[in-house]
């Protein structure tokens, strides 16, 4: 039965694990297949056509695994999806932009957006927030090095400290009181980001709202599983051991299956 089919969750690498963790918590009965393209990460500096082609290959993999719904646990992929979802028979949920939540959190109407080059270039977060409130000032900040440093397990040390100062001090000086983590790799850096921005700045991770959107769609379509405990298969295109070490920051990795998958 369709209700018994798995959910797909995918990202350019390990970042989507921050979304997987929320989906796993909210939907314990669902089977989940995670795919992280650790061989080709980062996607952020790549042109639109390449991001689309890689995304198509991942969605074909999900289709082959007969998922009933897929979650693009990556903002860079989400802002580049365009018409791709129309090519697949299952619904595809993109990352929430967190616009309403950010507007509810901000007191001074100064909101920062941290994301990859491709996501910032798309301007989609700023557009969605300003469509709801045109008095808000948005401070977009492309964090070119963050995702690669997370992939390289550099959660502390000289390289990540200096990147954090480069990206975050301008936001602190601009006086933002709310910052959207618009790249799924960045929740791994929350302690560092909080330390540089200061405790008064609210950090918004839209992973939970994204998981809730998936839950709503499954409910509306009568596809929500609730009978049993779901399994999780975590697939990566390279370096499974590294991915597993990074995953262990968030998850009890002993309970999940980790596999290397070649997309082509
Ligand atoms: N995790 C991805 C995102 O949410 C991007 C990292 C990358 O591949 O550049 O935007």
């Amino acid at each position: 039965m369709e209700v018994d089919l798995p959910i797909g969750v995918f990202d350019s690498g390990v970042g989507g694990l921050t979304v997987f963790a929320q989906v796993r918590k909210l939907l314990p009965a669902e089977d989940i297949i995670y795919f992280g393209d650790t061989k080709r990460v980062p996607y952020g500096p790549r042109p639109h056509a390449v991001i689309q082609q890689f995304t198509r290959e991942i969605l074909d993999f999900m289709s082959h695994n007969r998922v009933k719904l897929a979650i693009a646990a990556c903002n860079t992929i989400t802002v580049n999806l365009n018409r791709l979802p129309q090519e697949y028979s299952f619904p595809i949920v993109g990352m929430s932009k967190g616009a309403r939540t950010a507007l509810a959190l901000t007191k001074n109407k100064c909101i920062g957006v941290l994301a990859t080059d491709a996501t910032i270039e798309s301007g989609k977060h700023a557009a969605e927030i300003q469509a709801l409130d045109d008095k808000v000032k948005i401070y977009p900040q492309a964090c070119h090095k963050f995702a690669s440093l997370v992939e390289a397990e550099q959660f502390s040390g000289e390289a990540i400290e200096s990147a954090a100062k480069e990206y975050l001090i301008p936001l602190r000086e601009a006086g933002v009181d709310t910052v959207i983590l618009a790249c799924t790799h960045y929740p791994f850096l929350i302690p560092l980001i909080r330390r540089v921005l200061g405790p008064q700045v609210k950090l918004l991770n839209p992973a939970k709202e994204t998981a809730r959107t998936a839950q709503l769609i499954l409910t509306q379509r009568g596809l929500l599983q609730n009978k049993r405990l779901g399994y999780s298969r975590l697939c990566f295109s390279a370096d499974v051991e590294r991915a597993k070490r990074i995953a262990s920051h968030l998850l009890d990795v002993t309970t999940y299956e980790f596999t290397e998958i070649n997309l082509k």
Side-chain angles (χ1 to χ4, degrees), residues 10-251:
F10 62 97
D11 177 45
S12 59
V14 297
L17 291 168
T18 62
V19 181
F20 166 83
Q22 297 299 332
V23 179
R24 187 64 296 170
K25 216 182 280 175
L26 187 69
L27 305 171
E30 301 292 347
D31 293 337
I32 304 177
I33 298 177
Y34 180 87
F35 178 79
D37 199 359
T38 42
K39 197 179 192 170
R40 303 189 292 196
V41 68
Y43 283 13
R46 297 180 191 273
H48 169 75
V50 174
I51 297 170
Q52 278 232 325
Q53 179 52 32
F54 290 176
T55 305
R56 185 176 274 118
E57 289 167 16
I58 300 173
L59 287 169
D60 289 347
F61 166 76
M62 292 298 173
S63 175
H64 186 74
N65 280 278
R66 302 195 55 231
V67 298
K68 60 182 173 184
L69 174 142
I71 301 174
C74 175
N75 293 269
T76 306
I77 291 175
T78 300
V79 300
N80 281 284
L81 277 173
N82 296 4
R83 287 178 210 279
L84 262 185
Q86 292 166 19
E87 296 176 23
Y88 295 87
S89 58
F90 48 87
I92 299 167
V93 176
M95 283 305 294
S96 160
K97 304 215 169 26
R100 282 182 195 282
T101 314
L103 287 172
L105 288 173
T106 185
K107 298 256 185 304
N108 68 2
K109 292 189 185 277
C110 291
I111 298 175
V113 178
L114 301 178
T116 64
D117 303 84
T119 301
I120 294 297
E121 269 160 36
S122 80
K124 290 191 178 168
H125 288 76
E128 199 167 309
I129 298 166
Q130 283 170 333
L132 295 168
D133 184 341
D134 59 7
K135 304 256 173 344
V136 170
K137 283 191 86 173
I138 306 293
Y139 296 85
Q141 178 64 56
C143 307
H144 185 71
K145 299 171 204 151
F146 270 179
S148 299
L149 288 166
V150 168
E151 291 285 336
E153 301 175 80
Q154 308 246 343
F155 301 107
S156 59
E158 181 51 37
I160 194 82
E161 288 284 337
S162 82
K165 285 189 189 125
E166 179 188 338
Y167 305 139
L168 303 176
I169 289 178
L171 289 189
R172 194 175 72 194
E173 285 173 353
V176 299
D177 72 349
T178 303
V179 167
I180 303 174
L181 304 178
C183 170
T184 56
H185 281 71
Y186 301 172
F188 282 109
L189 303 174
I190 284 176
L192 170 67
I193 295 173
R194 183 158 284 141
R195 177 157 54 75
V196 180
L197 285 177
Q200 73 290 351
V201 176
K202 294 169 215 103
L203 302 182
L204 170 58
N205 171 9
K208 228 182 253 175
E209 349 188 322
T210 305
R212 271 194 235 110
T213 303
Q215 182 186 40
L216 183 71
I217 293 174
L218 289 174
T219 308
Q220 283 167 345
R221 297 184 179 214
L223 292 177
L224 197 67
Q225 176 69 266
N226 48 28
K227 276 189 247 145
R228 52 180 167 76
L229 207 60
Y231 77 79
S232 306
R233 196 166 141 236
L234 303 172
C235 310
F236 299 89
S237 51
D239 274 333
V240 178
E241 283 311 312
R242 177 173 59 80
K244 195 170 180 176
R245 277 196 305 276
I246 298 174
S248 71
H249 290 254
L250 295 171
L251 308 162

